[in-house]
Structures are given as C-alpha cells and as structure tokens.
Amino acid sequence: QVKMVASGGDSVQPGGSLRLSCGTSQSTYSSYCMGWFRQAPGKEREGVASIDSDGRTTYTNAVKGRFTVSRDNAKNTLYLQMNDLKPEDSAMYYCAGDGGYCYFGDLLQRWRSEDFGNQGTQVTVSS
C-alpha cells in the first residue's frame, strides 16, 4: 500500500477550479488502485474518487461531472482536477492506494481509520 503527500490545495471562490497532486517514489504505485479522500472538521472521512491501474475511475455522486481523477504512471503521480467547486467541497484532501478492489467506497473502507498526519492538502471554497 502507499500513502502519499497531497499538494495543490488553496482557498477559492465558488465556481472556481483547483488541481490536486500526489506523488510517490514507490515503484509499485503503477499497479495500485489509487484514490482521493476528504474530511471536513467534525465530519467522517469521505471517499471522493478512485482510479485503477488501467485508468478506470469511480466517483462519489457529490462530485460526479465536476471532478476528474487521473494518474501519470511514468511520473508516479496522481491528480484530482476539481471544477465548479462548491462550499461543501471544503475539506482536507488525502490520497492513498493499495492492491485491493478498486471502487471509491471500498478504498475508503480500507483507509477509513488511517492517520494521514500532515499529508493532506486543504481546500477551502468560500465567497
């Protein structure tokens, strides 16, 4: 399994866009199911999106049509393009992956209790 450091978070206005990134030097990255999670203060961690080694993706309904997860296996990097951001998207965003079944909900269950420390990136959407 791999837990990576996320970057690219910022404060934006509603309707704005951000691109988050995660990188790793772990050579097994390219074979893993990778995903994004988010957690707002006082709320449970939420699965956002997943992508398998062949590029197949799944998304939580709240972000479908607005967020796009992608990966560059040559660079061992995972991305999350976030468009039309809403205040409810405000949260700390984390990324991780493993060799398990690649669906965002299943990935969340495997990482639900993980302590990501300071490896997340903050997204704040407010006017």
Side-chain angles (χ1 to χ4, degrees), residues 1 13 15-16 24 26 40 43 66 75 78 91 100-101 107-108 116 118:
Q1 61 182 20
Q13 293 187 340
T24 181
Q26 190 164 331
K43 294 189 175 181
R66 301 187 298 120
K75 296 181 179 179
L78 179 72
Y101 179 67
L107 191 64
L108 171 66
F116 282 89
N118 60 351

Side-chain angles (χ1 to χ4, degrees), residues 20-73:
L20 308 184
S21 300
C22 277
T24 181
S25 60
Q26 190 164 331
S27 61
T28 51
Y29 160 84
S30 62
S31 66
Y32 283 164
C33 169
M34 298 301 302
W36 289 94
F37 317 101
R38 65 186 181 185
Q39 190 163 15
K43 294 189 175 181
E44 289 194 357
R45 186 169 295 167
E46 178 184 14
V48 176
S50 68
I51 183 168
D52 71 10
S53 58
D54 292 323
R56 289 181 290 253
T57 58
T58 68
Y59 299 91
T60 186
N61 285 339
V63 308
K64 277 182 181 177
R66 301 187 298 120
F67 290 13
T68 302
V69 60
S70 62
R71 65 194 298 167
D72 185 335
N73 288 339

Side-chain angles (χ1 to χ4, degrees), residues 71-122:
R71 65 194 298 167
D72 185 335
N73 288 339
K75 296 181 179 179
N76 284 3
T77 304
L78 179 72
Y79 302 100
L80 185 68
Q81 178 66 42
M82 305 188 295
N83 298 327
D84 190 22
L85 282 160
K86 305 175 185 295
E88 52 265 39
D89 296 318
S90 297
M92 189 70 75
Y93 283 71
Y94 305 94
C95 56
D98 56 36
Y101 179 67
C102 204
Y103 177 72
F104 76 90
D106 292 78
L107 191 64
L108 171 66
Q109 292 305 315
R110 299 195 293 271
W111 290 88
R112 181 180 292 280
S113 300
E114 180 72 22
D115 180 1
F116 282 89
N118 60 351
Q119 293 179 293
T121 189
Q122 179 68 42

